[in-house]
Amino acid sequence: MGTQLVEFGVVNLPNFNPPNALSLAGQVAYCWKNWQAGKVLLVFDDVKDWKQIQPYLPPKGSRFKVLITTRLNTGLVYPSLPLDKLSADGALELLTTLLGKDKVKKELEFAKGLCRFVDYVPIGLYQIAAQCREPGRVLC
């Protein structure tokens, strides 16, 4: 994880070169101190073991905001918002709200299949809706 953070900074940020002499933890600390100006949102998706990412999190109270998604009760010490699965009807209702009644009604069975595909998880439905909004698409 630490290597990915450092590599992301090197590849995507101008003039960002952590000293090679630093340990990995030191390079990650360098990242947090020298990241480009502005607010930053870090997303750690589908975390299975919170202890694996803990050493690489930015300091609390910094300009970095962290979003950690997980399907497990990992014992995180941060505020959490549990997002359970929706019912099949609830998922279809959310998808309809996101895409519009006409679009979903035209391809109702396909829309139901998409809801099943993302296991009725709201964030999956939001991702599908973002893809489906592209011009010319009927429903993904």
Side-chain angles (χ1 to χ4, degrees), residues 69-127:
T69 68
T70 182
R71 293 175 186 248
L72 309 171
N73 182 357
T74 60
L76 291 173
V77 294
Y78 295 94
S80 64
L81 176 62
L83 299 174
D84 293 330
K85 294 180 196 180
L86 299 171
S87 66
D89 289 340
L92 190 60
E93 183 179 328
L94 176 57
L95 192 61
T96 301
T97 300
L98 296 171
L99 295 175
K101 193 180 279 187
D102 292 340
K103 209 173 217 186
V104 172
K105 190 176 180 181
K106 281 182 189 175
E107 297 189 51
L108 184 58
E109 290 309 310
F110 187 70
K112 288 178 180 180
L114 288 174
C115 292
R116 277 191 305 275
F117 179 73
V118 297
D119 201 21
Y120 309 105
V121 175
I123 194 146
L125 296 169
Y126 277 94
Q127 290 173 330

Side-chain angles (χ1 to χ4, degrees), residues 5-84:
L5 288 167
V6 173
E7 286 177 7
F8 179 86
V10 170
V11 170
N12 294 290
L13 302 174
N15 304 317
F16 186 84
N17 295 306
N20 288 334
L22 294 175
S23 66
L24 180 58
Q27 288 182 3
V28 170
Y30 177 92
C31 289
W32 302 142
K33 286 183 183 176
N34 297 286
W35 207 268
Q36 68 187 26
K39 294 181 180 180
V40 179
L41 174 65
L42 297 167
V43 179
F44 294 89
D45 187 36
D46 199 20
V47 173
K48 292 179 179 46
D49 183 359
W50 136 258
K51 290 177 182 153
Q52 287 183 338
I53 66 165
Q54 188 177 15
Y56 306 111
L57 295 174
K60 286 185 179 179
S62 65
R63 63 193 172 95
F64 297 91
K65 302 297 179 207
V66 178
L67 174 65
I68 301 170
T69 68
T70 182
R71 293 175 186 248
L72 309 171
N73 182 357
T74 60
L76 291 173
V77 294
Y78 295 94
S80 64
L81 176 62
L83 299 174
D84 293 330

